[in-house]
Amino acid sequence: MTRPGLFITFEGIDGAGKSSHIEGLAQAFRAQGRTVTLTREPGGTPLAEKLRELLLHDSMDALTESLLVFAARRDHLAQVIEPALARGEVVLCDRFTDATFAYQGAGRGFDTRVLSILERMAQTGLAPDPQLMREPDLTVWFDVPVEVAAGRLASARVPDRFESQPAEFFRRVAQGYAERAAGAPHRFARIDSSLERHQVWQQLTSVFVRKGWLAIMVAAQGGPR
Ligand SMILES: Nc1ncnc2c1ncn2[C@@H]1O[C@H](COP(=O)(O)OP(=O)(O)O)[C@@H](O)[C@H]1O
Ligand SMILES: Cc1cn([C@H]2C[C@H](O)[C@@H](COP(=O)(O)OP(=O)(O)O)O2)c(=O)[nH]c1=O
């Protein structure tokens, strides 16, 4: 019997440490015999990756930015996410719509009522149930103080258009995530990602063990070396 697909997203400010853990989680699911689709936003399809390049490097106003993010998301849902879920796969997606509410909404100050309308348009009509607005089954929020994330990024990579924003921007983004999490507590799992990598991994996997999605043995074997 095909197992139901799982749609899991990972969120947090830049430098929170999401990307460092998603591959390990994919391996843990594969060790249990699940097929995993590992993907990211903005991006995940050839068209959406082109839009990602524009979003990360070209200046634009907040409405243009929001429209491009949701255009990329619709293509990603249609081409990758919905087909993978229909095949019963585990979809691990580095960022999704909560990032739009946090970055374009809270960070850039764009009207969240408009974002909600775009969310409904972009995420409806692709699932087997045409009325369903596709949302993640679980969102892991890597919560970290802005200063800690900035310190990690300073030694890690050349900043893109978002990463080069001032600390005040990221404080608003972090607040945006906190509000999204408070508004959907059943969907969000917060982890403290200011800790050492192995402690972050432990928190992360215990979320999945509690849900019954990963066996304790598999979770204990993976993680950062
Ligand atoms: N728990 C941690 N402690 C210290 N440094 C970390 C931790 N997690 C990730 N890093 C480092 O911080 C930087 C940003 O991590 P990354 O996973 O790319 O974050 P994100 O994908 O959330 O932007 C990388 O250099 C990474 O090696
Ligand atoms: C998905 C999404 C991302 N973003 C931003 C957040 C990040 O700064 C940037 C790219 O995200 P990300 O892939 O996490 O970048 P990196 O791997 O370099 O950490 O795009 C938005 O502003 N809105 C969105 O809807």
Side-chain angles (χ1 to χ4, degrees), residues 12-21 94-95 152-153 156-157 163 193-197 200:
I13 59 174
D14 292 271
K18 292 174 283 97
S19 313
S20 304
H21 286 93
D94 192 343
R95 298 191 185 282
R152 288 179 185 171
L153 284 183
R157 55 187 182 236
E163 289 170 352
S193 82
S194 65
L195 303 175
E196 298 280 331
R197 281 182 178 80
V200 175

Side-chain angles (χ1 to χ4, degrees), residues 191-205:
I191 61 174
D192 178 355
S193 82
S194 65
L195 303 175
E196 298 280 331
R197 281 182 178 80
H198 72 275
Q199 293 169 302
V200 175
W201 172 257
Q202 232 162 29
Q203 293 177 74
L204 180 63
T205 50

Side-chain angles (χ1 to χ4, degrees), residues 11 14 42 60 64 67 70 82 92 109 114 121 132-133 135 138 144 148 152 165 173 190 202 205 218:
E11 298 283 359
D14 292 271
M60 60 191 80
T64 310
L67 291 170
F70 275 112
E82 290 294 349
L92 303 180
V114 177
M121 289 175 73
L132 178 84
M133 181 178 91
E135 289 187 281
L138 171 71
V144 68
V148 174
R152 288 179 185 171
Q165 292 289 323
V173 173
R190 176 192 170 275
Q202 232 162 29
T205 50
V218 170

